[in-house]
Amino acid sequence: MRIFAKYKRKLRAQKKKDIPDGLWRKCKHCGEMITKKELEASLHVCPKCNYHYPLSAKRRLLITIDEGTFEEFDADLYPSDPLKFVDTKPYPERQAAAREKSKGLKDAIITGTGKLNGIDVAIAALEFSFMGGSMGAVVGEKITRLIERAMDKRLPLIIVSVSGGARMQESVLSLMQLAKTSGALSRFARQGLPYISIMADPTTGGTTASFASLGDVILAEPGALIGFAGPRVIKQTIQQDLPEGFQRSEFLLEHGFLDMIVQRKDLKGTMARLLRYMGGNTKPKTARKAVIKKRA
Amino acid sequence: MSNNTGLDFERPILELEKKIEELRSLSAGEIDFTAEIKSLQSKLDKARRKVFKSLTAWQKVQIARHPQRPYMLDYVGLIFEEFIELSGDRCYADDKALIGGFATLDGERVMILGHQKGRDTKENLMRNFGSAHPEGYRKALRLMRLAEKFSIPILTFVDTPGAYPGIGAEERGQAEAIAVNLREMMALRTPVIVTIIGEGGSGGALGIGIGDRVIMLENAYYSVISPEGCAAILWKDKARAADAAVALKLTSRDQLGLGLVDEIVPEPLGGAHRDPEAVAAALKERLITNLKELTLLPPEELLEKRYRKFRCMGVFEEGIEE
């Protein structure tokens, strides 16, 4: 009966080490074990390898906007199915699944206003868990309305992108959201208002080919995949392996397409510091003129 | 045009055409084939109507990519009295896949821009199959600004499978180049007319695709992704491209119905390559007419209308859900 005794001992030893479900997770990047608590405290950045996990739009706003100051816009916009798009599943079914996955969002974005270290800003955060953060008519419309309101209220604009690009299920209607958002930014740029674009992992396709690339200042989180075409498509087209680090933030910085790479914990402070330099014109033009007149 | 480069569904028609031609050349001899030719001709007419009047979305994509389809430079030769090509983005290189320059349309100065594909392997290497790099989009912007400076209207011709997905293109900022064009085209203080003459491949098409009027040739297509790419992602099977082409609503009729293009220029039965001169003449007339209307508008009104045109694109729901 010696064998049985041995087995029993082994079982006991394992039971001692057993940890309640969900407390630990293995970093998908470096494979180290991290506690959930540690991960939350580090804003979903692996403390061992600095991998920046995707943040939900809600959490992004939570860590960017001062507590209790966020006011959401256009929460009642939701997607339609104008093309009656069916692939292996009808589009409405995909919308419903995405809604569940994103814990109740109606589309891949939250927009609104709030304070960032006391500075009033208009902000949008994309949501990757909703159909890959893809831009359809709702995302395009909410961004455009946000830009238009930021012009009205003379607010700096911040857009945090986490997006695979245009949404195929809305075909050319989604392609036209590139035109719509970039067009709105063309007006915004002439108002003397600042726009900070943040690129998080991943920012690709139509999102990169429109508003995300049009910031006065463009910041990215470390190691984010940023590009026009996805790496798989490029590999297929050129039939070669891609260089190490290709299309990552560091690669883009080196090639001149980013201003800085900023650690997640430093993003809010960096934006506040930048806005000190770029927020000078956010007061209405007439008010500024009045001040000058007074002095004269 | 009776050579053997036809598409699968064109083949019965091309074969009949070849037979008729053969009989015609034999008729010069002592035997009279008039009756046979007549019967074949009526057969041919029937076959043409049967095939070409009910083209599927996927067949239209194939016509838009037809190796004999007229390309930008073919239309340039047929529509404009003069073309002075200008080169280079003043930054990195000259992109032969997206070309442009001054041209004269019915006596008026215009700036023309467009994607150019190659007719053979050698030319296609130079033209990169009509897939432009960032330098192409930056050259386009340089030329558009040049046109704006001298109040010259801009005509663009879209015919690309897409902006090129390669290492160099990414290194030099393909996405940034397109994004900047979208922003700047919205603010050009001169009329812009866009014509989709063949393939309207996503961001690569839109990169010169913002204008006061958007015209589409009947068998051209416009899509957010190629049918093959869409099939590979959503169906996980490239072979489902025909299904993707239907789902993507990429034909000119679909675009007109969705309000994304303003008008369609009809093509002869079988496609533009069967009578390039007729298509060019029809397109020329539409370009001249539209340009006349647009040049009457003051720049502020032109810009406001252009903004509104794209501002209202996209369908969504708002309010309490049903």
Side-chain angles (χ1 to χ4, degrees), chain A residues 9-228:
Chain A
R9 254 205 317 279
K10 220 180 184 178
L11 260 180
R12 237 199 327 269
Q14 262 192 339
K15 210 173 181 187
K16 246 186 180 173
K17 260 194 196 166
D18 207 18
I19 290 153
D21 254 3
L23 252 185
W24 286 85
R25 60 186 286 181
K26 198 173 176 182
C27 173
K28 72 169 185 184
H29 197 66
C30 65
E32 291 281 328
M33 298 301 282
I34 337 158
T35 66
K36 216 178 163 187
K37 230 178 174 179
E38 262 183 306
L39 202 60
E40 300 231 329
S42 64
L43 311 175
H44 288 251
V45 175
C46 172
K48 308 271 165 48
C49 72
N50 198 35
Y51 176 74
H52 281 54
Y53 281 92
L55 273 189
S56 70
K58 273 185 188 149
R59 202 178 285 271
R60 175 67 69 178
L61 292 169
L62 215 61
I63 68 162
T64 311
I65 296 300
D66 302 347
E67 208 182 326
T69 64
F70 185 70
E71 203 181 301
E72 189 176 353
F73 288 156
D74 304 313
D76 58 348
L77 254 62
Y78 61 99
S80 179
D81 182 20
L83 306 181
K84 304 274 170 271
F85 196 98
V86 182
D87 46 85
T88 52
K89 273 184 209 160
Y91 181 31
E93 254 177 55
R94 290 195 185 268
Q95 290 169 7
R99 193 179 278 218
E100 202 162 301
K101 207 174 158 197
S102 66
K103 299 192 179 89
L105 289 196
K106 290 177 182 166
D107 210 308
I109 192 167
I110 302 177
T111 60
T113 54
K115 287 186 190 293
L116 186 148
N117 284 357
I119 307 165
D120 284 306
V121 296
I123 185 167
L126 280 99
E127 170 70 45
F128 194 71
S129 71
F130 196 107
M131 299 186 77
S134 57
M135 171 158 61
V138 172
V139 171
E141 181 69 18
K142 283 177 89 164
I143 288 181
T144 306
R145 287 190 190 180
L146 181 74
I147 296 167
E148 288 171 344
R149 287 202 188 120
M151 280 192 277
D152 273 356
K153 297 185 172 173
R154 301 206 58 83
L155 294 175
L157 174 70
I158 296 167
I159 303 178
V160 188
S161 301
V162 207
S163 165
R167 187 172 297 167
M168 280 177 281
Q169 287 82 355
E170 294 183 29
S171 195
V172 183
L173 287 166
S174 77
L175 183 68
M176 290 307 149
Q177 305 310 307
L178 278 67
K180 187 159 118 184
T181 53
S182 304
L185 284 172
S186 132
R187 298 194 149 189
F188 187 82
R190 282 160 179 76
Q191 300 283 320
L193 293 167
Y195 164 34
I196 299 179
S197 169
I198 313 277
M199 296 181 174
D201 186 38
T203 300
T204 57
T207 302
T208 323
S210 62
F211 60 86
S213 287
L214 296 174
D216 294 306
V217 171
I218 305 177
L219 311 178
E221 291 192 336
L225 178 75
I226 302 165
F228 175 68

Side-chain angles (χ1 to χ4, degrees), chain B residues 215-230:
Chain B
I215 300 171
M216 205 164 163
L217 296 195
E218 188 183 346
N219 292 311
Y221 79 85
Y222 205 174
S223 181
V224 70
I225 185 169
S226 72
E228 292 93 332
C230 181

Side-chain angles (χ1 to χ4, degrees), chain B residues 119-233:
Chain B
R119 282 281 167 221
D120 51 39
T121 312
K122 198 179 152 204
E123 202 195 349
N124 258 324
L125 283 176
M126 175 175 88
R127 304 284 184 196
N128 202 28
F129 300 87
S131 273
H133 279 76
E135 41 275 22
Y137 293 98
R138 294 194 178 112
K139 171 171 68 177
L141 182 59
R142 179 176 82 82
L143 298 183
M144 288 190 277
R145 284 187 170 141
L146 181 63
E148 183 184 37
K149 181 173 171 179
F150 297 103
S151 302
I152 297 173
I154 298 162
L155 308 177
T156 75
F157 298 91
V158 174
D159 188 12
T160 181
Y164 190 64
I167 292 178
E170 295 288 329
E171 281 175 336
R172 299 193 291 278
Q174 187 73 283
E176 192 263 2
I178 291 172
V180 168
N181 279 18
L182 303 185
R183 183 184 67 196
E184 297 306 313
M185 286 186 87
M186 200 61 91
L188 288 169
R189 299 174 68 83
T190 189
V192 183
I193 301 177
V194 177
T195 309
I196 301 148
I197 57 173
E199 294 190 86
S202 196
L206 192 63
I208 55 165
I210 293 185
D212 306 297
R213 294 276 194 281
V214 181
I215 300 171
M216 205 164 163
L217 296 195
E218 188 183 346
N219 292 311
Y221 79 85
Y222 205 174
S223 181
V224 70
I225 185 169
S226 72
E228 292 93 332
C230 181
I233 297 171

Side-chain angles (χ1 to χ4, degrees), chain B residues 72 76 80 83 99-103 110-114 143 155-157:
Chain B
M72 173 186 176
V76 170
F80 301 95
F83 173 48
I99 58 173
F102 293 120
V110 290
M111 175 66 79
I112 60 174
L113 289 164
L143 298 183
L155 308 177
T156 75
F157 298 91

